[in-house]
Amino acid sequence: MPTTEHASLTIAYGWDAPLGYFYLTVQRGDDLLYSNCDDPDATSGTYGGGLTLHQLQARLGDHGLALSPEDLDALAGTVRRAAPRAPTLTRLLRDLNNPPEPS
């Protein structure tokens, strides 16, 4: 998880492979200023709640931070290297999140 300090902010971001999205949190001290989990526009990923790489760049820009081309390439590369879920785990997660209707 890359974490950086910028203008009294602590910014943590990266790729969450199991959930299939980018995440971002921005804090000032103990105050949480931004989290992708609270962003209504963060709908990327297997179950939603995450950011696309473009959204991550935009949210970082909102806080005055721009990633270098090398950092962007590294983040984009993590998406391709993420291993797909085993079919059994995928079915289990689908069944847990979409239980059958009671008869």
Side-chain angles (χ1 to χ4, degrees):
M1 163 184 1
T3 303
T4 187
E5 298 286 328
H6 177 75
S8 77
L9 301 176
T10 302
I11 301 169
Y13 62 92
W15 172 252
D16 189 318
L19 293 176
Y21 62 61
F22 291 97
Y23 62 88
L24 172 66
T25 60
V26 180
Q27 290 181 263
R28 179 175 289 123
D30 291 333
D31 294 329
L32 182 63
L33 303 178
Y34 175 85
S35 170
N36 58 279
C37 295
D38 299 327
D39 186 339
D41 294 327
T43 58
S44 184
T46 306
Y47 303 104
L51 302 170
T52 64
L53 185 56
H54 179 74
Q55 287 174 313
L56 174 66
Q57 287 177 274
R59 299 308 182 283
L60 286 169
D62 292 344
H63 296 285
L65 184 67
L67 296 176
S68 70
E70 294 80 18
D71 288 338
L72 288 172
D73 286 346
L75 283 172
T78 60
V79 176
R80 289 188 297 277
R81 287 192 302 265
R85 287 192 180 93
T88 303
L89 178 57
T90 301
R91 279 192 304 277
L92 174 64
L93 289 171
R94 184 189 62 232
D95 293 345
L96 287 171
N97 286 289
N98 297 308
E101 295 287 326
S103 307

